[in-house]
Amino acid sequence: MSYDGRVEVERAFIGAGCNRVVNNVSWGACDLVAFGAQNAVAIFCPKTAQILTTLPGHKASVNCTQWLPNSKFAFKAQQLEQHLLLSGDADGVIILWELSLADKKWRYVLQVPQPHEKGVTCINGIMVSQTDAIFASTSSDGTVCLWEVVFPSISGGDCKLSCLESLYVGSKPMVALSLAELPGNTGYLVLAMGGLDNKIHLYCGERTGKFVRACELKGHTDWLRSLDLSLPIWTNGEANSLLLVSSSQDRSIRIWKMALRNSPANSIRKEKISLASYIDGPVLVAGSSSYQISLESLLIGHDDWVYSVEWQPPTNSSIEGIACYQPQSILSASMDKTMMIWQPEKNTGIWVNVVTVGELSHCALGFYGGHWSPNGDSILAHGYGGSFHLWRNVGVDFDHWKPQKVPSGHFAVVTDIVWAKSGEYVLSVSHDQTTRISAPWVKEPGLENADSWCEIARPQVHGHDINCVTIIKGKGNDRFVSGAEEKVARVFEAPLSFLKTLNHASSQMSSFTEDMQVDVQILGANMSALGLSQKPIYLQAVHETPGSNGNEGLDTLETIPDAVPVELTEPPIEEQLAWHTLWPESHKLYGHGNELFSLCCNHEGKLVASSCKAQSTSVAEIWLWQVGSWKAVGRLQSHSLTVTQMEFSHDDKFLLAVSRDRHFSVFSIEQTGIDGVCYQLVTRQEAHKRIIWSCSWNPFGHEFATGSRDKTVKIWAIEKGSSVKQLMILPQFSSSVMALSWTGIDLQRNDGLLAVGMENGLIELWNVSVRRNEDGSIAVPGATAALSLRLDPLTCHVSAVNRLAWRNSEKKQDSRSMQLASCGADHCVRVFEVNFA
């Protein structure tokens, strides 16, 4: 294959979980959802269930996002060509972004000046006209700031931002905000805020600022968690009242009414006293108008803290003179694992719960927030496990809410990533204590859209943070070994339910044939009571009658819901992933003295090498394990500190290890007989000035690359099987080198592509050629390298890249595209499509 050095890269997949904070998610009028994933702002499209991009800019974890306009103001966004997005982080920084709808391009607009001194906890904004928005932000530093944003008149134009007010609210900070225009054309705004003092504080001000404290509403008996002001409610052709809904950790929801005094609505309610009669509360004065506030309703139904409440977005009104109609419908989300929709009954006006979703998901661990889609036909929750849950109303004559596909991913640092034996899927492990498998789900012929990637299994759910993983290459069933913050490595084997699911995902093109499936007697796995071991569910056990184990009626620790391993015929949703796609654990490997740090397997699939965190030579041993018998067949000593990465050469003759002690070691490995392994230290050499984080072999020979915290990558070659020579040093990088992966392009010219991942999240591709003489010895100069491509920061990670891995493609040699997987500290797993010119 001829190749002229030019490379193009496209995003194939981003997997990421949502930060576990309230107010983190916002659904925009442009029908895109924004959420914080560590210090990235991730954008996903609910229609395709794919994460489109991540926006780099924050140095700390993102706490909250807010679209301008959000779904509530979709009716004002008809002619808008640019939509704005605000994001606030744990350092108090707020960033403004711009999305151009015409070309779907993102632009970093500005960082809001005078940041908060502590983390931003909530941002809420309203559109006061087609091109003018006002937003408020609150922080744990006890301040609430109000800002005005004027949208740019042309694409790429400047946004005008001005500070209207900064309010100090005291030592008990506010955590919930809501803004609205007061009805009656007064030109006044009302700002509702609530927090740790259990009260709702109402401030009133003009559009130019000067917000003054108006009154406070008491009633809740615990921290306020969420507030939402409705749009003006129309009665008899005029807008004369607003509704405010509040939720709290006291498990209740309250609806408050703010009615313009001396308005018809107020006098009508005075005459007609019904069950929905209210208690007069304080009066809010705004300029020459005053508003009577009263408690309209108290909603009790959730069994745990109610983290969010939100009015259904308005629908365009058919009545002349009324721009939009505010539906009487509220969505609430709670830590009791449910979301509820509340509406008033037609006859009595009493608010009742009309829809409940989510109560069956024993894996969700509660919801941190719920959101309406702009047209009100879908509701989205984000949960404790970083997961999304989306329901859509598919009923025609009556409500029928059905779960929909959503993106998913890790919600903590992703530590390691590896491709399946034949490249059908990618397996990632994380400090969120899960192992996840992502794969492209092949569309049926004739359907539009390309194959869409999704998470298809969660083989390991564990009680420890997982640090490393390796897939056992070679024939037979899919197996992997993972190492966590414990001294044991665990071996897992693919059950039959997964192999059948993989067949559906790859449209029957899986390398695992029907004949091989006959040998697999394990259907799936069950979690043990303490969550530390996964027990197999055998095929024959499924056919036995339940209760035949003799333990019927015994209340033991083991009485947790049984997993039901299923053959998935379409991309799974969170409920299926979290419980029914576990793999059984077949072996535990004991030997290391500390928590495991790195693992690798040879290409033949017969040896696994493991290392652990170490401060001394005896603990820094590399253990070799025989695949199958799982006996320890070698203990390799060379390093004095943690071995950070290991890799076998492509002919399995050498094992390369790099360490925190700034040295690399090369061992010769030879298999003798069935169980025997002969190994010898070829060389140990100090290679860098700082920790060596990563290494990778040239697929065509005995050359390898090492990458270090000293921002350099060096290329080395083994000469005559006994010594190592440095071939070249790549130009210094902008940040510490954390990950390397070398793949072959052209065997004749010994050309390869070296992917370099850095601590700042950026990835570069380098074209590396190794020059040899006819006798096989290294020529002079031994290697040449040229930068092929710097990946666009919008497609890269936003914090350290932890691992890179090229797909082991079994495609023809002349294939002009390859896939590169990466994982990082920003909780993301990414797959790039790399096309050669």
Side-chain angles (χ1 to χ4, degrees), residues 197 199-202 213-218 256 281-283 293:
D197 62 358
K199 298 173 197 164
I200 300 168
H201 302 268
L202 296 178
R213 190 183 186 128
C215 58
E216 56 185 42
L217 308 179
K218 297 175 185 173
W256 312 81
V283 173
I293 302 178

Side-chain angles (χ1 to χ4, degrees), residues 273-334:
I273 294 176
S274 68
L275 274 169
S277 65
Y278 53 84
I279 307 153
D280 280 357
V283 173
L284 179 129
V285 179
S288 58
S289 307
S290 59
Y291 299 82
Q292 176 68 58
I293 302 178
S294 51
L295 179 64
E296 177 85 356
S297 192
L298 170 64
L299 312 183
I300 306 281
H302 285 294
D303 299 331
D304 209 334
W305 298 358
V306 186
Y307 264 134
S308 88
V309 279
E310 192 174 281
W311 288 100
Q312 184 176 334
T315 48
N316 284 344
S317 175
S318 54
I319 305 166
E320 214 171 307
I322 299 178
C324 65
Y325 169 71
Q326 171 71 63
Q328 300 280 289
S329 183
I330 292 169
L331 174 70
S332 62
S334 162

Side-chain angles (χ1 to χ4, degrees), residues 42 172 235 327 410 425 429 458 492 503 506 579 682 731 742 774:
K172 290 194 171 176
T235 320
H410 293 285
Y425 59 83
V429 297
R458 206 166 293 167
F492 295 85
N503 255 356
S506 55
W579 207 251
V682 174
W742 197 337
E774 287 181 8

Side-chain angles (χ1 to χ4, degrees), residues 24 48 85 108 227 233 247 341 357 367 379 428 438 478 496 576 588 644 676 696 743 830:
N24 183 25
T48 60
L85 175 67
Y108 174 103
L227 293 167
I233 308 294
S247 74
I341 296 175
V357 292
F367 294 142
I379 51 177
S428 55
S438 305
D478 292 44
L496 191 57
Q576 295 164 312
K588 292 183 180 69
T644 51
S696 188
T743 188
R830 295 165 194 267

Side-chain angles (χ1 to χ4, degrees), residues 74-111:
F75 70 97
K76 282 192 178 178
Q78 314 292 343
Q79 281 82 40
L80 272 183
E81 288 176 14
Q82 287 89 30
H83 285 233
L84 301 181
L85 175 67
L86 292 154
S87 55
D89 70 23
D91 280 350
V93 171
I94 299 173
I95 293 179
L96 182 65
W97 314 86
E98 179 190 289
L99 168 66
S100 165
L101 291 188
D103 55 7
K104 298 282 188 283
K105 288 271 170 65
W106 281 92
R107 186 168 75 90
Y108 174 103
V109 181
L110 53 86
Q111 181 179 317

Side-chain angles (χ1 to χ4, degrees), residues 230-251:
S230 71
L231 288 163
I233 308 294
W234 291 77
T235 320
N236 302 338
E238 58 177 277
N240 45 34
S241 60
L242 277 182
L243 291 176
L244 167 67
V245 61
S246 60
S247 74
S248 159
Q249 289 180 186
D250 65 11
R251 307 180 183 189

Side-chain angles (χ1 to χ4, degrees), residues 75 120 346 353 379 609:
F75 70 97
V120 183
K346 282 195 175 75
N353 164 24
I379 51 177

Side-chain angles (χ1 to χ4, degrees), residues 173-446:
M174 298 295 146
V175 294
L177 296 175
S178 187
L179 267 169
E181 291 183 275
L182 282 167
N185 297 322
T186 57
Y188 276 83
L189 301 175
V190 60
L191 169 65
M193 56 176 87
L196 281 54
D197 62 358
N198 311 350
K199 298 173 197 164
I200 300 168
H201 302 268
L202 296 178
Y203 282 72
C204 195
E206 298 171 65
R207 278 176 51 174
T208 52
K210 304 191 192 73
F211 275 74
V212 292
R213 190 183 186 128
C215 58
E216 56 185 42
L217 308 179
K218 297 175 185 173
H220 285 292
T221 57
D222 206 338
W223 291 5
L224 267 293
R225 273 302 178 178
S226 181
L227 293 167
D228 195 24
L229 282 155
S230 71
L231 288 163
I233 308 294
W234 291 77
T235 320
N236 302 338
E238 58 177 277
N240 45 34
S241 60
L242 277 182
L243 291 176
L244 167 67
V245 61
S246 60
S247 74
S248 159
Q249 289 180 186
D250 65 11
R251 307 180 183 189
S252 72
I253 298 165
R254 288 171 183 258
I255 303 173
W256 312 81
K257 184 170 189 175
M258 303 162 69
L260 192 57
R261 290 180 97 178
N262 308 322
S263 74
N266 228 8
S267 53
I268 290 166
R269 287 299 296 272
K270 283 288 183 197
E271 293 155 20
K272 183 185 172 190
I273 294 176
S274 68
L275 274 169
S277 65
Y278 53 84
I279 307 153
D280 280 357
V283 173
L284 179 129
V285 179
S288 58
S289 307
S290 59
Y291 299 82
Q292 176 68 58
I293 302 178
S294 51
L295 179 64
E296 177 85 356
S297 192
L298 170 64
L299 312 183
I300 306 281
H302 285 294
D303 299 331
D304 209 334
W305 298 358
V306 186
Y307 264 134
S308 88
V309 279
E310 192 174 281
W311 288 100
Q312 184 176 334
T315 48
N316 284 344
S317 175
S318 54
I319 305 166
E320 214 171 307
I322 299 178
C324 65
Y325 169 71
Q326 171 71 63
Q328 300 280 289
S329 183
I330 292 169
L331 174 70
S332 62
S334 162
M335 278 306 272
D336 67 5
K337 308 178 193 175
T338 63
M339 278 208 299
M340 293 181 179
I341 296 175
W342 307 80
Q343 288 168 359
E345 279 189 330
K346 282 195 175 75
N347 302 331
T348 60
I350 295 173
W351 285 78
V352 290
N353 164 24
V354 291
V355 175
T356 304
V357 292
E359 67 268 64
L360 297 175
S361 58
H362 53 260
C363 51
L365 290 173
F367 294 142
Y368 274 130
H371 303 272
W372 289 98
S373 64
N375 59 6
D377 71 348
S378 301
I379 51 177
L380 174 78
H382 64 106
Y384 179 82
S387 56
F388 286 108
H389 306 259
L390 178 67
W391 288 268
R392 189 155 163 261
N393 190 359
V394 293
V396 182
D397 300 324
F398 56 91
D399 281 4
H400 176 47
W401 294 86
K402 196 175 170 193
Q404 303 292 307
K405 283 186 301 193
V406 283
S408 66
H410 293 285
F411 57 91
V413 174
V414 190
T415 46
D416 205 352
I417 195 165
V418 63
W419 285 94
K421 293 181 292 194
S422 46
E424 296 142 325
Y425 59 83
V426 72
L427 182 102
S428 55
V429 297
S430 160
H431 284 172
D432 69 3
Q433 309 190 343
T434 65
T435 299
R436 300 177 190 235
I437 289 179
S438 305
W441 198 283
V442 177
K443 291 274 195 302
E444 290 173 25

